[in-house]
Amino acid sequence: MRRGLLDIESLTRPEIEAILARSKDFQPAPREPFKRFESLRGQTIVNLFFEASTRTRTSFEIAAKRLGADLISITASGSSVSKGESLVDTLNTLGAMRPDAIVMRHSASGAPHFLSRYLPVPIVNAGDGTHEHPTQALLDALTIRDRLGTLENLRVAIIGDIAHSRVARSNIFLLSKFGVHVVLCGPASLLPREMGQLAPAIELTTDMEEAIRNADVIMMLRVQLERQHEPGFATNEYFQFFGLRPEHIELAKPNLIVMHPGPINRGREISSEVADSQRSVILNQVENGVAIRMAVLERVLTQ
Amino acid sequence: MSKLVVKNGRVVDPSQELDRVCDVGIEDDVILEIEDGISTVGCEQFDASGLVVAPGFIDMHVHLREPGFEHAETIETGSRAAAAGGFTSICCMPNTEPVNDKPTVTSYIIDRARRSAIVNVYPIGAITKNSAGKELSAIASMKQAGIVAISDDGKPVMNARVLRRAMEFAQALNIPLIQHCEDLDLSAGGLMHEGLESTRLGLRGIPRTSEDVMVARDILLAELTGARYHVAHVSSKNSVEMVAFAKRRGLPVTCEATPHHFALCDSEMRPYDSNFKMKPPLRERCDLEAITQGIVHGVIDAIATDHAPHPGDEKMQEFERCPFGIIGLETALGLGLERLYHSDKIDISRLISLFSKKPAEILSLDRGTLRVGAAADITIFDLERDWTYDVNRSPSKSRNTPFHRHKFRGGPVATIVAGQIVWRLEA
């Protein structure tokens, strides 16, 4: 049975290395037209998004098409889900049409893991609740390597709503496998102590300057108001204490890069000056997303 | 006049400190004699050689789902699962539809049990109307109709003033008040124990503090009112300590633990498998050890299953949408033997007491004993037989258990209720 890609936690470092290495082949050379690949010719991929997404859904679509696969995108609204069909029934129905892989985003943590126990079709997790977002961590790793050459011994500060962030979890699991020193920073109510125990060499702080000092990479997270059951902080003071501003950049290493998984909220967690600065690699992340997802889809469908 | 003789079993009855190989003679529905070499002329006999013969087990915490949720369980199917687990009496929680908050519902349950159940069924009445936590239910008239305790299980009474009034009623009527201890504000949205595992899985946590603050508050209210107060399914180390504290103060405070809380912890969950989702949740190793020690030292009075059937389609969903609860009647004795007896934590008499004598005392039931003249409710089990639990053969209507295919050492062999063998192990 083919394996999908459910999370970073269960991947080994060599498996991650292989995906990163293959994705290099899919990065377009500057000012050259895109090469077409045919490795997934005749394969059908269903893109199933139970939660709103623009960049991830589009990125998977482009990745599939550049590999020659046939792709169908379904969003939860306007599907049988809105008629009360259960998740298992929805997936069984789609499974009966024999797609070769399902790319899935869902608001419930573990939804793809639960389904993968019952469905023979490999599932690629495009983000599950507050659990993981594996392709995001992979494209982040690729982007860091492109700019800084290595992951080894870097200091990476992840700042924002750590508790509810699937991007943070996937990055923690990935970066710690590569010897990165990870610093997690956010309001105390969004920074559970246990996050520091997820992997070795993780530091927790509620002081943004401390987090940024000597950092090689700053990853800003979006404030996810939709995942808060109750406000864990006062929104009107968030930017003052956890918003990334130009004066912070001085504290970090000279070759610092600033990342954000998007969509960004200018003026809430990041100032426009920083988001649009030379330090920002936000658009490189988006571009690398396609290459990473090509490597992931190819791995899932041809292994 | 019908006679039954249980021959040559190891008769262990903590209520009379009995532990010897002998016969038990039963006439009609009562114990007639416990002697060596009882004549079997003209009697039905059950050969219990090599087996333990104990007072009938009492599960003081089950959900039978009737009336209202008969697709999940009925009084009949729940009672059959109980008999297959060695239980001769079960106490059903009031969260049915309608809620058992008035004597007509109590009488309905008792009537349905009389017609369809193969073990004794004792209803527990709701503390508040519709278990909404606001107005007291008809506690006194439910007591007349046959309830043995009050509880809003699953919906803790959050309002301390309401709970105080209920305790005053319970004290006056001399029935225990059983609380599902969970501060609903602290546990809001929670899906599993709050700790490293919930953080790793990205699932919202239920802190053990949500249990502890309720136990603490309720113990103080029990002291104020003098009520007999019982903590349902204790799951946290701090709660065990607080119950011990209440007992040292001489308060009439008791508690129960479920087999899953002394058998499993959160790190042993199969990720996102709703067969591991229950309230209170599986906690950490230190909690499991505190519960085990609480049993060893007598802080925990009884083992109760919190048998909570849910049909497959409700458990086959995203983890966050699945209801809480697992079934437990058929695996309780096996888990007790595995985790407490075979692992040398307690002797067999103590294990039997946790299943029979102590719950009978807490609920003032005239059961849990093999004294001559007592009701002939008997649990016969063995200590060594290797067997594997197959939930697909369960008499329960539901299949939600984390112990499917679990290998057990020792378990139920026959169940006798009122002198009748209602269940026996298939050869």
Side-chain angles (χ1 to χ4, degrees):
Chain A
M1 197 178 90
R2 281 169 166 174
R3 274 173 64 203
L5 175 67
L6 297 178
D7 49 53
I8 295 290
E9 190 185 7
S10 57
L11 291 183
T12 62
R13 178 168 169 164
E15 287 173 318
I16 295 167
E17 294 275 18
I19 295 169
L20 294 177
R22 182 58 172 150
S23 67
K24 297 296 285 180
D25 302 332
F26 297 130
Q27 285 179 317
R31 280 180 295 281
E32 266 181 42
F34 250 108
K35 266 192 282 179
R36 304 288 303 188
F37 294 82
E38 299 295 323
S39 54
L40 298 188
R41 175 70 58 208
Q43 308 249 34
T44 305
I45 297 167
V46 173
N47 225 358
L48 187 55
F49 278 65
F50 293 92
E51 202 181 53
S53 161
T54 306
R55 73 196 61 221
T56 306
R57 184 171 54 81
T58 312
S59 181
F60 269 109
E61 282 176 12
I62 292 172
K65 287 178 176 164
R66 284 191 183 154
L67 290 170
D70 297 314
L71 179 126
I72 298 120
S73 264
I74 302 167
T75 45
S77 57
S79 75
S80 52
V81 177
S82 56
K83 298 173 191 164
E85 189 174 53
S86 80
L87 182 59
V88 173
D89 286 334
T90 302
L91 269 284
N92 272 329
T93 303
L94 294 172
M97 299 178 201
R98 310 284 288 274
D100 297 286
I102 292 173
V103 176
M104 166 176 170
R105 166 167 290 190
H106 199 283
S107 62
S109 297
H113 301 69
F114 157 69
L115 286 169
S116 71
R117 286 207 276 271
Y118 301 99
L119 241 77
V121 184
I123 296 175
V124 175
N125 182 5
D128 64 319
T130 55
H131 177 228
E132 279 222 42
H133 191 351
T135 55
Q136 179 70 44
L138 289 164
L139 73 87
D140 287 344
L142 179 64
T143 308
I144 296 171
R145 272 196 175 171
D146 283 351
R147 280 302 189 94
L148 302 178
T150 179
L151 293 169
E152 217 76 44
N153 296 321
L154 294 183
R155 182 176 168 92
V156 176
I158 306 178
I159 299 170
D161 177 358
I162 305 291
H164 298 97
S165 176
R166 54 194 177 207
V167 174
R169 279 174 182 74
S170 285
N171 266 303
I172 289 166
F173 290 128
L174 190 151
L175 296 172
S176 68
K177 291 178 206 280
F178 285 80
V180 171
H181 183 82
V182 177
V183 186
L184 303 176
C185 175
S189 56
L190 299 176
L191 189 66
R193 280 193 309 278
E194 290 83 0
M195 293 295 293
Q197 299 161 25
L198 289 179
I202 298 178
E203 186 185 323
L204 265 57
T205 176
T206 55
D207 178 344
M208 189 162 170
E209 293 190 356
E210 189 185 317
I212 288 171
R213 195 162 288 122
N214 293 320
D216 299 281
V217 177
I218 297 174
M219 283 186 187
M220 297 306 294
L221 300 175
R222 190 168 61 84
V223 178
Q224 303 190 74
L225 290 172
E226 74 275 17
R227 292 192 205 285
Q228 315 271 340
H229 285 241
E230 68 280 314
F233 56 91
T235 45
N236 57 353
E237 66 174 25
Y238 187 86
F239 186 72
Q240 184 191 340
F241 291 96
F242 300 102
L244 188 65
R245 299 183 297 274
E247 65 262 33
H248 291 122
I249 304 303
E250 309 307 316
L251 298 167
K253 294 249 182 77
N255 54 355
L256 170 81
I257 58 172
V258 173
M259 306 176 79
H260 193 302
I264 64 172
N265 293 313
R266 291 170 187 268
R268 181 175 279 156
E269 71 263 356
I270 190 165
S271 68
S272 281
E273 295 95 311
V274 177
D276 301 328
S277 74
Q278 292 297 309
R279 305 281 183 188
S280 166
V281 295
I282 296 172
L283 292 176
N284 306 68
Q285 289 173 272
V286 176
E287 188 177 354
N288 277 335
V290 177
I292 280 291
R293 286 165 183 131
M294 288 172 80
V296 165
L297 289 175
E298 187 187 69
R299 176 177 183 270
V300 165
L301 286 162
T302 59
Q303 67 190 192
Chain B
M1 195 154 62
S2 65
K3 279 191 164 184
L4 170 65
V5 180
V6 178
K7 292 291 287 182
N8 294 321
R10 176 183 168 192
V11 180
V12 182
D13 179 6
S15 77
Q16 37 188 340
E17 293 181 20
L18 183 69
D19 184 352
R20 69 183 173 99
V21 175
C22 60
D23 301 341
V24 179
I26 298 157
E27 190 169 71
D28 295 330
D29 56 358
V30 296
I31 309 278
L32 183 66
E33 54 186 332
I34 296 185
E35 296 292 346
D36 299 316
I38 296 176
S39 163
T40 57
V41 178
C43 299
E44 186 187 354
Q45 63 171 311
F46 184 96
D47 180 8
S49 304
L51 303 175
V52 175
V53 177
F57 287 1
I58 299 163
D59 188 344
M60 60 183 296
H61 192 146
V62 303
H63 299 270
L64 296 179
R65 306 297 188 215
E66 183 180 353
F69 308 101
E70 287 85 351
H71 58 294
E73 195 78 290
T74 63
I75 291 169
E76 180 188 352
T77 58
S79 79
R80 289 186 181 279
F87 290 99
T88 59
S89 296
I90 48 181
C91 306
C92 54
M93 285 295 174
N95 60 337
T96 46
E97 177 56 49
V99 169
N100 182 17
D101 61 0
K102 47 179 115 36
T104 48
V105 182
T106 308
S107 300
Y108 175 83
I109 292 167
I110 289 172
D111 185 55
R112 289 291 302 155
R114 195 171 289 134
R115 289 161 196 265
S116 66
I118 64 169
V119 304
N120 308 304
V121 174
Y122 293 102
I124 293 169
I127 298 172
T128 59
K129 282 183 189 166
N130 209 25
S131 288
K134 298 212 159 53
E135 290 173 73
L136 292 189
S137 59
I139 299 171
S141 44
M142 284 195 293
K143 166 90 192 298
Q144 286 181 333
I147 62 164
V148 295
I150 50 172
S151 179
D152 278 350
D153 185 50
K155 291 187 169 177
V157 181
M158 286 290 287
N159 184 316
R161 188 185 68 250
V162 172
L163 191 72
R164 176 192 176 173
R165 298 301 173 219
M167 281 191 176
E168 287 163 352
F169 261 83
Q171 194 275 336
L173 295 167
N174 195 25
I175 52 174
L177 183 147
I178 303 172
Q179 177 86 296
H180 167 127
C181 290
E182 176 187 354
D183 182 307
L184 296 173
D185 294 315
L186 281 171
S187 68
L191 301 167
M192 64 177 288
H193 172 67
E194 180 181 295
L196 179 57
E197 284 305 306
S198 64
T199 305
R200 193 172 71 83
L201 296 173
L203 293 173
R204 206 167 153 86
I206 302 172
R208 60 166 78 79
T209 316
S210 65
E211 176 171 314
D212 301 336
V213 296
M214 288 295 268
V215 172
R217 181 199 76 172
D218 289 5
I219 286 171
L220 295 170
L221 289 171
E223 184 168 41
L224 175 68
T225 60
R228 286 157 59 196
Y229 172 69
H230 179 83
V231 181
H233 41 53
V234 64
S235 75
S236 124
K237 58 181 181 183
N238 292 339
S239 293
V240 175
E241 277 182 34
M242 285 188 284
V243 171
F245 164 82
K247 288 185 170 187
R248 282 198 303 275
R249 279 171 87 97
L251 300 175
V253 171
T254 54
C255 71
E256 73 198 24
T258 72
H260 49 273
H261 286 113
F262 63 70
L264 291 172
C265 53
D266 62 347
S267 60
E268 294 167 315
M269 277 179 65
R270 194 174 173 204
Y272 310 111
D273 183 341
S274 68
N275 287 317
F276 293 80
K277 181 181 176 183
M278 72 287 286
K279 270 189 179 176
L282 299 175
R283 298 209 185 268
E284 293 173 36
R285 178 68 54 190
C286 60
D287 299 288
L288 185 154
E289 281 165 7
I291 288 167
T292 308
Q293 288 306 308
I295 290 171
V296 170
H297 295 115
V299 176
I300 291 167
D301 300 273
I303 296 173
T305 67
D306 194 8
H307 178 80
H310 293 289
D313 51 350
E314 286 175 22
K315 278 293 208 179
M316 276 286 279
Q317 298 188 75
E318 301 89 312
F319 192 83
E320 65 181 40
R321 294 179 63 158
C322 295
F324 292 92
I326 60 169
I327 61 171
L329 285 162
E330 295 159 278
T331 49
L333 174 57
L335 291 167
L337 288 169
E338 173 186 314
R339 296 308 174 110
L340 301 173
Y341 172 73
H342 288 306
S343 42
D344 296 324
K345 300 290 194 296
I346 56 175
D347 64 20
I348 200 63
S349 176
R350 281 291 311 285
L351 184 68
I352 290 168
S353 182
L354 286 157
F355 275 116
S356 59
K357 174 172 173 271
K358 297 303 288 269
E361 283 172 10
I362 293 165
L363 298 166
S364 312
L365 302 181
D366 189 17
R367 299 189 184 271
T369 176
L370 294 176
R371 275 194 310 275
V372 171
D377 291 354
I378 301 174
T379 296
I380 300 172
F381 63 96
D382 79 16
L383 295 170
E384 298 299 336
R385 176 177 59 94
D386 292 320
W387 62 287
T388 303
Y389 182 50
D390 180 358
V391 72
N392 295 316
R393 301 180 63 185
S394 171
S396 169
K397 280 194 169 185
S398 292
R399 300 284 175 261
N400 48 315
T401 172
F403 299 111
H404 180 49
R405 295 189 208 282
H406 188 87
K407 290 186 168 55
F408 288 100
R409 176 179 169 200
V413 173
T415 306
I416 297 173
V417 175
Q420 304 290 315
I421 301 175
V422 297
W423 175 85
R424 66 201 299 171
L425 185 66
E426 289 166 33

